[in-house]
């Protein structure tokens, strides 16, 4: 059976590529996670186990794909930054998006039990969508990441009092009305006066999201006969809950924004 | 914290779409599965458990996405056919590719244990790549699927004697030399004379791959007071190992190629 | 001076292609032609010289590019239909769009004097934009062309009484008010009662636009010694002002819609 | 006649856009100009009239499109640089490419007579192809332009002795053999010893190509009653034949590379 007769169909494959010289951001985002999180009884507004699972998956991504420089995650989404110089899969859009999203998803299911615990078995099949976006320089890349972290902050500042109100007996629409149009000061005051919560003392993971980076760490590689230590440096994937809108984070990690 | 300052970065998102009026094929393909299958001791050249797991994931895809008309799978790849009229995710390429690939992957990990058995725990994170291709009419779509099934046939006809030779003591290069340039008749004769295997009696799943379809079936919805049955029809996802190169399969299922 | 050092920039060229197996329509459209037509004193609502010039350019396009099967023009736009099987410029979008638009434009300037006459010298540089669209089958291609011809009809039915009113002293806004929301019957009646014009007797070029086709014509290639004629067939580019919404046009020219 | 029935075909239009924040280069390139230049008796290897015509068209482009920052031309091609911040036509690829190419082409035909003279009437319809490429930063943009100017230099250094040899009686293949693999020194020596030509004294337009820029110039806007002049600055499109590979050109015109 000759296959050549049908092979012409390969011509229909149009492999779009991502512009060289640009940072590539791949963002994965939970599909229908409102329903998925309810089905599995996620704590509202933040479920530490579920966030840790997301962070774990992001760490796995950085360990698997050396061209991924960092990740930033909040709620059920994670953004991964690839180097402008990356030649991963010839910069083909579908390949990069699908493989990263697939690997992230597989990790999510694989490590579910370890993070969610025995009382929360997986009862539905999770899925993530993925997309790739090019940012031509460090300034726009940082603005992208600032956008996601600002979004994390805005959402959390709203969701925290919202769920306090609902848990204390308000209906969803009552809670919405109470918070509608209010500023951060009002929300923080409400949290403190009615629920005894100091917003700024909430875990940084909730307020700032998660940053996954390749940390350089020194370690004792061996000890010489004379008892002195031979130190070496190695890369290690680490999760931070740091501010990435200001300059400090970037000043300490210039390699993240290198060409 | 106003987020509007950073929101301009959304302009960098370029959402390519798939041409309307065309069949869309999404093909997922195992990433590095040669190594993955060795690590998990897959039977060579075909591991029925692993193929059943692939088929199971494809069934899950058809149950989850009503716009997927059928699937065709062989080895570690599966192709899914979407209707020309589908408006799924506004026909955005990345969204369709990533969500289907992600859902397929999650199913693969979720149902691994059920199909692979207790003696083959998951020891690495599987991943699939995905791509979407448009075919403007039924003829090119059928040629695409014929291409995949012909590929299945060609590969299996080679791999079956190859692994017989290797398992009986030949080195990989000796097995390759034995088979190099030979036709189907030679390979079948070798299989039969040396290994007692009649190629045409091997399981159809190995020789033809798997077709996942929505079968229509009649069932007794209720029984009337007078004892007569009320029959209704329902769709049910079914796995076949049928020839899809010839016309018969399509003549029986005209709705699969409808606009 | 070695050039290799800079040649890497070629990687930045991303050549998008048009899906194989689809009809390609390239539509060119005058840029800023309201102003351009005023500057050159085009007769309103239809300037026969200018329309003839457009038709002439379309004929030149068909003569130059054998893969262009037909053209349809109205006002300052023209659509060209390329065969689904065309391999012109490897189906690269920018190449096809730019070359056809450029050649059309060059023809427009080159043949301006011949059609517009000595009293209308070119006083500004005309430009056209161009785009390419894929239509996966004959039905959608015909609907595209019907869309353009219906547009021609609707615009002309409005513009004819509008300009009659304006030429007879109405202000633009008065003319608009008179016609606002009126149906074809009202407009035709107004044309006839106030201006003595029978809409259906207006030139078909105005009412139906222009179709440029490759007509087959028989001609006497030579005369034999016995006085009988040897007839041959040849293709000739011809301009029609025919209805292309109904079936008749297509039934007579099946090759236009061939794969 | 309701048009709505056909309007769905607009969905088939897929408007690709050029990534924001990047320099856009639109390059137009003569189609079949080897034949076109022979037909019109262009002087070999450089026809000053034809090059001046190209430069004229480029000037027209800069005057018409304020978002075009500069142009660089050599032989029958011209590259135009658009600002990273340009919002021209919503950065739609086909629109930008087609309109610029069309306008350039129209200018070429329109001003042909003025530059080519009465003894070289236009005898064929010229056409240009066009393409747009994104460069994410000033460094890659400069490398692109250096690539074109290095190409100009390499081609001219070869073509000059080649045509001297051919004009003095060598066949094309003899001339090719003489020059094959030779370095710049050999070619310059051959030019000088056999034809009395000092390569470095050839016109810069031939050796460096043409750069079209917006020059700032001061002019006397009016004279005050006391006799003193009021000076103002204005932009003026100018043609240079300057080196654009080195830094000097860019240091003097920082606005050209601004974001």
């Amino acid at each position: 059976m000759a296959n050549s007769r049908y092979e012409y169909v390969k011509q229909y494959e149009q492999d779009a590529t991502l512009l060289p010289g640009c940072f590539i951001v791949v963002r994965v985002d939970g599909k229908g996670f409102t329903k998925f999180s309810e089905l599995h009884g996620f704590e509202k507004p933040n479920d530490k186990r579920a966030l840790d699972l997301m962070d774990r998956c992001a760490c796995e991504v950085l360990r698997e794909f050396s061209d991924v420089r960092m990740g930033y995650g909040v709620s059920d989404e994670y953004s991964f930054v690839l180097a402008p110089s990356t030649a991963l899969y010839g910069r083909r859009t579908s390949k990069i998006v699908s493989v990263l999203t697939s690997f992230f998803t597989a990790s999510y299911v694989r490590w579910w039990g370890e993070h969610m615990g025995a009382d929360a078995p997986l009862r539905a099949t999770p899925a993530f969508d993925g997309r790739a976006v090019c940012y031509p320089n460090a300034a726009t890349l940082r603005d992208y990441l600032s956008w996601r972290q600002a979004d994390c902050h805005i959402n959390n500042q709203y969701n925290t009092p919202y769920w306090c109100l609902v848990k204390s007996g308000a209906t969803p629409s009552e809670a919405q009305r109470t918070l509608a149009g209010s500023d951060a000061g009002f929300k923080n005051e409400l949290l403190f006066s009615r629920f005894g919560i100091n917003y700024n003392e909430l875990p940084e993971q909730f307020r700032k999201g998660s940053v996954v980076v390749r940390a350089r760490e020194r370690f004792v590689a061996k000890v010489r006969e004379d008892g002195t230590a031979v130190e070496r440096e190695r890369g290690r994937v680490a999760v931070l809950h740091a501010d990435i809108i200001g300059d400090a984070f970037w000043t300490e990690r210039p390699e993240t924004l290198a060409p």
Side-chain angles (χ1 to χ4, degrees), chain A:
Chain A
M1 187 187 306
N3 206 356
S4 55
R5 177 182 163 195
Y6 301 121
E7 268 188 316
Y8 81 94
V9 297
K10 286 169 77 171
Q11 298 168 29
Y12 287 76
E13 303 184 359
Q14 301 178 302
D15 284 327
T17 57
L18 295 157
L19 189 68
C22 297
F23 289 96
I24 299 170
V25 171
V26 176
R27 182 171 74 237
V28 299
D29 195 15
K31 176 182 167 279
F33 259 50
T34 302
K35 197 176 151 194
F36 181 84
S37 62
E38 276 169 19
L39 180 66
H40 293 90
F42 283 17
E43 179 72 13
K44 293 291 181 179
N46 295 290
D47 187 296
K48 183 163 170 45
R49 299 165 307 163
L51 293 175
D52 285 348
L53 173 57
M54 292 290 289
D55 293 346
R56 167 68 177 277
C57 296
C59 289
E60 299 284 336
V61 167
L62 263 78
R63 283 188 204 107
E64 180 77 9
F65 300 95
S66 59
D67 285 7
V68 175
R69 285 203 178 150
M70 64 171 285
Y72 174 73
V74 45
S75 185
D76 60 347
E77 74 167 51
Y78 238 101
S79 299
F80 296 101
V81 178
L82 281 82
S85 58
T86 185
L88 185 67
Y89 304 132
R91 297 181 80 97
R92 278 175 289 161
T93 312
S94 285
K95 192 103 178 178
I96 288 177
V97 168
S98 62
V99 171
L100 261 69
T101 308
S102 175
F103 185 85
F104 187 93
T105 307
S107 301
Y108 195 87
V109 180
R110 186 176 183 203
W111 304 117
W112 171 274
E114 195 166 294
H115 290 272
M116 296 303 294
D119 56 328
L122 191 60
R123 297 168 60 190
T125 304
F128 293 83
D129 69 47
R131 62 163 67 224
V133 184
C134 285
Y135 293 100
N137 49 52
T140 46
L141 173 68
R142 279 192 55 185
D143 281 350
Y144 168 78
L145 292 165
S146 295
W147 175 49
R148 301 322 303 143
Q149 192 168 50
D151 217 42
C152 165
H153 181 71
I154 292 165
N155 288 336
N156 195 56
Q157 197 143 42
Y158 181 91
N159 291 337
T160 305
Y162 173 86
W163 284 100
C164 283
L165 289 166
V166 168
K167 286 175 182 174
S168 67
T171 65
S173 57
E174 284 168 354
Q176 280 166 30
R177 271 197 303 277
T178 301
L179 299 171
S182 69
D183 63 10
F186 174 86
K187 295 196 192 82
N188 287 351
E189 176 59 28
L190 181 144
L191 269 181
F192 190 70
S193 60
R194 288 200 40 192
F195 304 102
I197 293 173
N198 184 335
Y199 183 82
N200 290 320
E201 288 175 1
L202 291 173
E204 291 202 304
Q205 187 181 27
F206 299 172
R207 290 182 291 122
K208 293 186 179 160
S210 299
V211 193
V212 182
V213 294
R214 300 186 188 280
R216 307 299 304 172
E217 62 173 12
R218 295 190 71 77
F219 69 104
V220 177
K222 64 172 180 181
V223 179
R224 294 193 194 83
E225 291 194 2
D226 65 1
T228 58
V230 177
E231 289 198 338
R232 295 244 169 78
E233 213 180 39
R234 67 183 163 200
R236 189 177 51 83
V237 172
V239 180
L240 313 172
H241 307 294
D243 175 83
I244 56 174
I245 297 180
D247 291 331
F249 175 86
W250 305 101
T251 309
E252 289 166 27
R253 293 169 185 81
E255 71 283 3
T256 313
L257 300 178

